[in-house]
Amino acid sequence: MLIMEALKGKKTYFTAGAAVLTALGAYFAGEVDLSLTIQACFAALMVVFLRQGVTSEAKKAIEADKPAA
């Protein structure tokens, strides 16, 4: 459980980083062309920004539901 707590909120970033590294590895190995590499990297980064947006909107919704003290 300690490992899960340490990774809380970071798994998406690690996964996106792995996707970018995989895309770059495939490009430098000659398996894919540059346009596909750019598309894969863009998709991985898009997931990170989507996660950040969902997290910030969820925090706003929670704050809006709290009663005024």
Side-chain angles (χ1 to χ4, degrees):
M1 287 300 186
L2 182 63
I3 293 173
M4 292 305 290
E5 281 297 316
L7 291 177
K8 189 174 182 180
K10 296 177 182 82
K11 292 182 293 271
T12 303
Y13 303 114
F14 288 136
T15 303
V20 169
L21 288 175
T22 301
L24 290 173
Y27 173 73
F28 289 120
E31 298 293 323
V32 296
D33 62 355
L34 183 60
S35 65
L36 188 60
T37 302
I38 292 170
Q39 288 176 359
C41 291
F42 181 74
L45 294 175
M46 199 167 40
V47 170
V48 170
F49 293 123
L50 178 65
R51 183 195 187 283
Q52 287 177 343
V54 168
T55 301
S56 66
E57 288 300 315
K59 285 180 183 177
K60 287 180 191 176
I62 290 169
E63 291 297 321
D65 286 342
K66 286 185 179 178

